[in-house]
Amino acid sequence: MTPPTPATTPAAPDVVAPGLTGTSSTAPAHGTDLSVAVLAGGLSHERDVSLRSGRRVAEALRAAGVDVRLHDVDADLLGFLRTTRPDVVWPLLHGAGGEDGSLRDVLELAGVPYVGTGPRASRAAWDKPIAKERLQQAGLTTPEWLTLPQELFRDLGAAAVLDAVVERFGLPVVVKPTRGGSALGVTRVQRREDLARAMVDCFAYGGSALIEQAVDGIEVAVSVIDSPTGPTALPPVEIVVDGTYDYDARYNAGRVEYFAPARLDDHVARQVATDAVAAHRALDLRHLSRTDMIVRPDGAPTVLEVNVAPGMTETSLFPQAVVAAGHDVPALYRSIAEQALTSVRR
Amino acid sequence: MPRKLPAELVTRLLREGMGPRAIVEHLREHEGIEVSPQAISTFRQRHTDVPPQHSTRRVVPWDVRPEHRSSGYRRAILAYHRRAQGRTLTGEERRNLEHVERTLREAGQVIDYQPAQGWLLVPARPGVDTGIVREPEASMTHDTTPTQPATTPAPSAAAAPAPPGGPAASATAAGGAGTRLDPWFGSYAARAHGMRASEIRALFAVANRPEVVSLAGGMPFIEGLPLDVIGEAVQRLIATKGTTALQYGSGQGDEELRERILEIVALEGITDAHPDDVVVTTGSQQGLDLVTRIFVDPGDVVLAEAPSYVGALGVFRSYEAQVQHVPLDADGLVPEALERAIVQARSAGQRVKFLYTIPNYHNPAGVTLSLERRQRVLEICKRHGVLIIEDNPYGLLGFDREPLPALRAFDDEGVVYLGSFSKTFAPGYRVGWVIAPHAVREKLVLASESSILSPSNASQMAITTYLATCDWRGQIKAYREMYRERRDAMVGALSEHLPSASWNVPDGGFYVWVRLPDGLDARSMLPRAVTERVAYVPGTAFFYDGQGADHMRLSFCYPTPERIREGVRRLASVVNSEADLVRLFGTHAEPDDDPRDAEHPSPNLA
C-alpha cells in the first residue's frame, strides 16, 4: 500500500486538480504496448450493469491506445487468460463473484496483475456490516444499523422483530441486502406496514438484511484513486433525484440531476474528501473506490457504503468525478491499469 | 496519470477569449497534448477568473412536464417567484437559489427577474446556451402533478422564437454545474416516457448464459430446422436472383410470397382472401404497430385480454392508447365481459378503437378461444362497430387437433388478421403479414412505406424459396411434436415439483401460465430465481395496469425436455423458499406501481 500523505492544497485537500498529476516518466506513451483484459458480465444480479461498465472502460482504454479484450466470467476465462496473457486484468464485475473477492482470489492464483482491491479486503468491504464496523473503528460516521438474517425472523416471529426495529430506529429506515449493489433489493420504508414487504423484497437477493436508520441530507459520492502521493479524492458528485436513487434512477438518464463538483461549502467539501480517503484506507482498498455519503443538514457527512468496484457506466458516478477533476477519462483509466501493473511487480 | 495541463498557456488562451474547443485543438496541434473540452471548462471554472463565454441568448420555453419538476430552471423560477411573493423558501430552494446567484455573481452577472412578465433571465453559460426562461403564469403558482399533461407556453410571450426544446431546455440547472446526462431529456415525446430499462429487465441479463435455464423467452427451437437445406437454397437464391433479392422491393411485399401466404392461411379457413389483401411486414410486430398507428389517437381505448401479449401492450402504450383488459377463461376471451367493456367505455364517453385478441394458444395464458365463442365475439364486435385485430402467430402449432377457423375466416370486413413466420419457421427473417379489408390495407401500405419503405426482399424471397422447396407442412408437424414433448415435460415437472401452484395445460403454442401459491409475488421473487439459475417472466409484464404479480409465464419452446425438468426443479426450490418467507412476513402479491417500464426479456434472450 502507498503510505498516507497529508492534504495537498489548502483550498481543496485530497482533491486532484488538473495539472497536479502528471504522466509518470517511465509510463509508455499512447500506443498498443499495454494489454488489458476487461472482465465483465458474470452471473450476478448486476450482470447488465457490469456489461455496461465493461464496454465503457474498454472503449476508454482503447482510446488511450491500450490493447483491450473484453471477456465474460465463465468456464473459458482461465484458458483465455492463459492464451492471451494480458499485462493487466481489470475486473468490472459487480455483485456476487465480482466484489466478494472470489474472482480476485483466482486472479491472485493465476498470478495476473489486476486492477482493484485484493481478495480479503474486497470480501470485507463487500459485506456491509463488516465494512460499517471498520468504518466506525476508523472514526467515521455511518448510520445506525442492525443485521437481520432471515432465520432470526423465523425464530422470533416477524412482527415482533420488526416492531423492535421500529422502536429502536423509528421511521423511516432503509432496508438493504447485506451484500450487493446498484440499489437492488433496497427499500426506504416510511410506514410500519410497508416494512414486511421491504424485507421480503430484500431477502429475495440474499439471506441477510441490513436495516439502517434513514439519514436525510445531501447525497454525494466521492471517488478515490491511488496516486503516487497516496489515495486521493476526486471532486464529490452530488445526486439530486426525484424520489429515491433506485435502479431506475441510476441507469436511466434523466431522473437524476448530478452536480460535479457537489454544491457544498468548502469546509464540507474538504470533509467529505477526507472521509472518503479515510474509508478507502480503513478498508484497505486499492487503486480506486467510491464512497457514498449523506451530508446532513449540519454539514456532517455520514458514510452509507463503500464500493470496491464502482460502476463505470454512462450514468455512473466515478467517471463523472474523473471528468469533474479535469482528467481525461481514457488517460486516467490507462494510468490506473499501469498502476496495477507496477503495484504487483513491486 | 493523465497529461498535465499547461496552466499558464491555458489561462492565457482563455483570457484571449479562445473557447474550450479551440484550446483543445491548439493543445493538440502545438503541444501534442490530448485533453477534453470539458477539462478546459473545468480548469477555467476552478483555476481562473475568466468568465465563461456567452452564447447567443435563446428563449427556452418553460416546460411543465413532470420530469422537469426538479430541473434547475424550474426550481430557480419557483424560488424567485416565492421569494418575490414573500413566501418562505424550503432549504433546498434556498440552497439552489444561493448557488445560482453565487455562480452568476462570480461571472459578474445578475439574474433579471420580472415577475410581471413571468420571466427569468438567466445569462448563458458555455455549452448551455441558456437565455431566458419563461413559464406560463398558471404553472407558476402550483407544482405540477405527474399526471398533468405537457403544456406549451403561449407564443405571444416570447420575444424571440422559441426553439423546440433542445439541449438547453433541460440539460443543466440554472447557474449550477448540474447535468442529467442526457441533453435531450426534455425533448422526448410523452410516449417515450415508459421506454426505460427496469430492474426486472436487468435481471433477465443472465438468462442467455448457458448456466441458466431460461423459461422466459419465446424463441422457437431453430436447431430443429433443416439448416443445410435452407443454406443451399439461400445460396442459390442470391446466385440466381441476387439483383432482385438485394434491391428495394414493393411496399406491400413480394407478390409471390403473398400468394404463398394465402396457402398458409387457407389451413385456418381463410379462403376468400386475395394476394392484394395481404401486406407483408417486418414481423407481425410491425403489422401491429402499423394497425395501431393508423387507428389509435392518444386516449383511445383498445380492448385486450387480461393478460395479453407484452409486445402488444408496449405498442399500445407507445401510441398512448388506453388499454382495457377483458377477462379470459379456459375457453378464451369471455364474450359477456367483452360486451360489458365496450358498453362501459362508450357510456364513459371513450372511443373504443379495436379489440386486440390472440385466439389461439394465447400468449401468455395458453388458452384457445372456442369455436362457439368465436361466433359470439364476432357478433358482439359487429353489433357495436368494433374492429377486431386477430393476432395469430401460434395457430398452426396445435398439439392435438387441426387448427380452428380463424376469426377472419368468418368476416372479411370486421377483422384485421396478423400472421407470422417467426414461430412456425424462423424469426431471424423478420417476416410477418397483415390481411386487411381493402381500405385499411391501402393505409397500411402507405404507413409501412413511411416507416420502412419496403420489407426486406432478401428475407421474403428466402421464405418464398423455403415454402417452395422445403416440406414446410412436415416441418410444422415436426415442430408440433417437439413442442408437445416439451409441454409434457413442463407440465409433468410442474405436477411433480410444484403442486402448490396451479396452471393450465396448453394444447398448443409455447406457454404455460402459472398461478403462484397465495401471497407470492412473481416480480419480487425474480432475483431469487436468478440466484438459482432459472428465469421466467413475471405476470405483471402482461397487464397494462400492473396486475398479474400472482402469475408467471413459463415457456417450453426453447430448452430441451431435460433442461425444462431441471428448470422447473430449480423453480420449485425458489417458490418454496419464497413461500416460507411470505408466510413469515404475511405479505401478498402486489400490483406493479409503475407498469410503464420494460419488464420483459429483450428479443435475443430466451
Side-chain angles (χ1 to χ4, degrees), chain A residues 12 15-19 21-24 29-30 41-45 47-48 51-52 72-75 150 153-154 158 162 183-185 196-197 199-201 203-205 218 225-228 235 238 240 242 247-248 252-261 263-265 314-316 320 323-328 331-332 335 338-339, chain B residues 1-5 34-36 38-39 42-43 45-47 66-72 75 92 95-96 99 102 170-174 176-182 185 195-199 201-203 205-209 211-212 519 521 524-531 533 577-578 580-582 584-590 597:
Chain A
V15 173
V16 177
T21 55
T23 311
S24 111
H30 285 192
L43 271 171
S44 82
H45 297 113
R47 175 179 173 82
D48 188 50
L51 290 171
R52 294 189 204 199
D72 207 334
V73 177
D74 55 21
Q150 196 180 319
F153 289 92
R154 190 163 295 131
L162 294 182
L184 294 173
R197 171 90 260 158
M199 299 310 300
V200 170
D201 288 350
F203 285 130
Y205 282 93
I218 303 163
I225 52 173
D226 282 349
S227 76
E238 177 185 346
V240 179
D242 265 351
Y247 187 90
D248 172 82
N252 292 291
R255 249 183 69 200
V256 178
E257 193 167 11
Y258 299 93
F259 293 84
R263 299 167 298 172
L264 299 172
D265 290 340
E314 289 85 345
T315 56
S316 290
Q320 292 189 59
V323 171
H327 290 302
D328 180 52
L332 185 96
S335 76
E338 283 167 356
Q339 208 181 2
Chain B
M1 283 294 128
R3 289 298 185 96
K4 186 171 178 156
L5 266 186
E34 282 288 343
V35 290
S36 65
Q38 178 71 40
T42 313
F43 177 86
Q45 267 176 22
R46 299 172 63 91
H47 297 278
E67 69 271 23
H68 291 160
R69 273 175 303 156
S70 70
S71 83
R75 284 204 301 263
E92 170 67 19
R95 215 163 63 83
N96 191 60
H99 182 72
R102 192 169 61 232
S170 66
T172 309
T179 171
R180 289 184 183 270
L181 300 180
D182 177 1
F185 183 64
M195 297 175 183
R196 300 193 313 256
S198 70
E199 186 173 327
R201 189 173 162 100
L203 290 174
V206 299
N208 64 347
R209 283 273 304 234
E211 298 90 337
V212 176
D521 185 311
S524 178
M525 189 174 75
L526 192 61
R528 191 182 287 279
V530 167
T531 308
R533 312 275 182 260
S577 313
E578 188 77 2
D580 275 355
L581 194 64
V582 161
L584 200 55
F585 286 97
T587 53
H588 307 282
E590 284 177 19
D597 48 7

Side-chain angles (χ1 to χ4, degrees), chain B residues 315-390:
Chain B
V315 169
F316 301 150
R317 201 180 295 287
S318 78
Y319 287 101
E320 300 167 81
Q322 285 295 319
V323 173
Q324 302 276 351
H325 282 294
V326 181
L328 49 65
D329 60 21
D331 288 325
L333 187 69
V334 179
E336 296 74 22
L338 169 67
E339 180 149 30
R340 253 195 321 275
I342 296 171
V343 171
Q344 269 172 12
R346 291 258 164 89
S347 61
Q350 291 174 303
R351 303 207 298 173
V352 179
K353 280 301 171 66
F354 55 73
L355 163 70
Y356 169 78
T357 178
I358 308 156
N360 298 313
Y361 319 120
H362 190 272
N363 175 8
V367 297
T368 294
L369 187 64
S370 68
L371 192 56
E372 184 267 326
R373 281 195 183 175
R374 285 177 195 233
Q375 300 291 356
R376 287 171 62 198
V377 166
L378 283 162
E379 185 274 318
I380 290 167
C381 286
K382 189 165 194 156
R383 185 150 44 80
H384 290 280
V386 172
L387 180 68
I388 297 175
I389 310 300
E390 176 179 28

Side-chain angles (χ1 to χ4, degrees), chain B residues 278-478:
Chain B
V278 180
V279 182
V280 179
T281 54
T282 301
S284 63
Q285 187 74 18
Q286 194 215 351
L288 187 57
D289 186 270
L290 295 176
V291 169
T292 313
R293 173 134 67 104
I294 67 170
F295 280 106
V296 171
D297 284 316
D300 285 351
V301 169
V302 168
L303 302 167
E305 284 124 356
S308 187
Y309 166 50
V310 57
L313 298 180
V315 169
F316 301 150
R317 201 180 295 287
S318 78
Y319 287 101
E320 300 167 81
Q322 285 295 319
V323 173
Q324 302 276 351
H325 282 294
V326 181
L328 49 65
D329 60 21
D331 288 325
L333 187 69
V334 179
E336 296 74 22
L338 169 67
E339 180 149 30
R340 253 195 321 275
I342 296 171
V343 171
Q344 269 172 12
R346 291 258 164 89
S347 61
Q350 291 174 303
R351 303 207 298 173
V352 179
K353 280 301 171 66
F354 55 73
L355 163 70
Y356 169 78
T357 178
I358 308 156
N360 298 313
Y361 319 120
H362 190 272
N363 175 8
V367 297
T368 294
L369 187 64
S370 68
L371 192 56
E372 184 267 326
R373 281 195 183 175
R374 285 177 195 233
Q375 300 291 356
R376 287 171 62 198
V377 166
L378 283 162
E379 185 274 318
I380 290 167
C381 286
K382 189 165 194 156
R383 185 150 44 80
H384 290 280
V386 172
L387 180 68
I388 297 175
I389 310 300
E390 176 179 28
D391 190 2
N392 188 27
Y394 310 102
L396 298 179
L397 293 174
F399 303 145
D400 309 309
R401 62 173 177 205
E402 288 309 303
L404 286 175
L407 292 164
R408 169 63 182 76
F410 301 109
D411 183 351
D412 61 349
E413 277 300 318
V415 179
V416 171
Y417 175 98
L418 305 176
S420 176
F421 289 106
S422 294
K423 308 298 184 186
T424 51
F425 178 36
Y429 281 124
R430 308 304 307 122
V431 175
W433 68 88
V434 186
I435 300 176
H438 69 95
V440 176
R441 175 249 300 162
E442 296 290 342
K443 288 213 182 333
L444 287 174
V445 171
L446 292 170
S448 184
E449 285 177 1
S450 87
S451 75
I452 61 163
L453 298 182
S454 68
S456 158
N457 250 4
S459 286
Q460 292 180 80
M461 290 171 75
I463 288 182
T464 308
T465 308
Y466 168 74
L467 295 174
T469 58
C470 295
D471 176 17
W472 60 270
R473 288 181 180 82
Q475 181 60 48
I476 289 175
K477 192 157 175 284

Side-chain angles (χ1 to χ4, degrees), chain A residues 48-72:
Chain A
D48 188 50
V49 179
S50 168
L51 290 171
R52 294 189 204 199
S53 288
R55 284 193 294 267
R56 286 303 273 193
V57 169
E59 200 179 298
L61 287 172
R62 279 191 193 113
V66 176
D67 174 23
V68 184
R69 283 163 203 245
L70 255 171
H71 204 278
D72 207 334

